[in-house]
Amino acid sequence: MKNFFILAAGLFLGTAAYAQVPDNTFKANINGKEWQAKAQRLKIPVSDFNYLAIAGMEVNPDVQLWIRLYYFGELKPGTYPVLTMRELESKYEKAQEIPNGYALVDYTEETKKMGHGFHDGESVSGTVTVTAITDKSIEGTFDAKMKGVYYQKRTMATLGGYGLVANLEKKAITAAGGGMLVTGDPHDHDNTKKTKETDEITVTDGKFKVSWGEANQKKK
C-alpha cells in the first residue's frame, strides 16, 4: 500500500499541482522544542478513498513534519485518530467501514553524520483535529507519538558524492515550495539503508493553517 501511495503521488503531481500561499504555516513542539516551517498541501483523488497531505518543510537542515489524511466522501471538521502505517493498511485491506477517516503523522530530519543520513519518526498514535475547512483552505491542531528510526547513506553514495548531490537537489526544490513534488513519502530516502537504532519522537501543540491558490481547484 505504501508503494501505491508513492506512485499515486508521482502520477498526480506529474499532471497537476496546487499553488501554495506564501504565508502558510505549520508548527509544533517536537520533543519539547518549538519548530515552525512553511506549509505545503497535496490532494490526490483516488477511486476508493481520498488522500490529503499537509506538511511543514524546512531546508537547512532538512526537516519535514507530515500529516496524511485518508477519508471517504467529504472531509469535515472533526478529530481523526493517528495510526501506524501497518494499522492503516490492515483496515484498507479488510475494507472496514471508516465513518470519518484516519491519519498518519510522520517526521524526517537530516542528520550530520557521514553522508548526511536521516532521523525519522514513523506514525504510531495521536490525533489530528480539523477545526475549519473550505474549498481553499484547511486548519487544525494535532499531537502524535512516533517511533524514531535512523537511515544512513549507503557507502558508495557517500564515497561517490552523488548521495549528497541528490540531497542538495531536493533542498533546492523544497526551498522553492515544491517539496511534495519530489517526495511522495516522508521516509522516501534515496541511496540509504535503515539502521537498528531506534528512539521515540513526540509532537505536542501542533497547529496548521494552509491555503492555496486558484490553480486546479477542486471542492473537497
Side-chain angles (χ1 to χ4, degrees):
M1 186 176 180
K2 178 179 178 181
N3 290 335
F4 165 75
F5 292 134
I6 295 173
L7 177 61
L11 291 174
F12 178 72
L13 286 167
T15 57
Y18 289 87
Q20 310 294 329
V21 176
D23 61 353
N24 287 343
T25 58
F26 198 104
K27 58 185 178 180
N29 290 330
I30 302 174
N31 283 346
K33 182 178 179 180
E34 291 185 4
W35 177 81
Q36 180 171 324
K38 293 291 185 181
Q40 298 185 24
R41 169 256 198 194
L42 165 67
K43 184 172 184 286
I44 300 176
V46 184
S47 59
D48 295 334
F49 59 90
N50 290 307
Y51 169 84
L52 173 64
I54 307 162
M57 296 188 173
E58 184 181 10
V59 176
N60 290 307
D62 187 357
V63 180
Q64 299 181 14
L65 183 59
W66 286 56
I67 294 173
R68 291 179 282 176
L69 291 162
Y70 301 84
Y71 59 97
F72 292 106
E74 183 180 1
L75 184 63
K76 300 178 180 179
T79 298
Y80 298 81
V82 174
L83 305 180
T84 66
M85 176 61 81
R86 180 172 294 181
E87 289 172 335
L88 182 65
E89 289 175 339
S90 176
K91 291 182 180 296
Y92 178 80
E93 289 169 358
K94 293 178 181 178
Q96 293 182 345
E97 181 180 358
I98 305 178
N100 295 310
Y102 294 105
L104 299 176
V105 176
D106 294 89
Y107 176 78
T108 180
E109 177 183 7
E110 181 184 26
T111 64
K112 296 302 182 182
K113 297 180 180 179
M114 178 182 285
H116 293 262
F118 296 91
H119 179 203
D120 283 14
E122 297 178 344
S123 183
V124 172
S125 63
T127 57
V128 175
T129 299
V130 176
T131 56
I133 186 167
T134 71
D135 61 347
K136 297 181 182 179
S137 66
I138 183 172
E139 60 184 287
T141 61
F142 64 101
D143 61 82
K145 288 186 177 180
M146 294 171 277
K147 177 184 176 182
V149 297
Y150 290 81
Y151 292 80
Q152 67 180 32
K153 285 290 182 180
R154 296 187 182 278
T155 302
M156 290 306 297
T158 300
L159 296 177
Y162 56 85
L164 181 57
V165 170
N167 283 4
L168 293 174
E169 289 175 346
K170 283 190 175 182
K171 282 176 182 290
I173 297 174
T174 299
M180 286 185 164
L181 297 173
V182 294
T183 308
D185 184 291
H187 311 303
D188 180 19
H189 304 307
D190 296 331
N191 304 306
T192 64
K193 60 181 178 181
K194 186 185 291 188
T195 72
K196 294 181 179 180
E197 184 178 0
T198 62
D199 55 18
E200 184 176 277
I201 298 174
T202 301
V203 174
T204 58
D205 299 323
K207 296 180 181 180
F208 58 87
K209 186 174 183 179
V210 190
S211 302
W212 46 91
E214 297 296 329
N216 298 306
Q217 279 301 314
K218 290 184 180 181
K219 186 177 180 180
K220 294 181 182 65

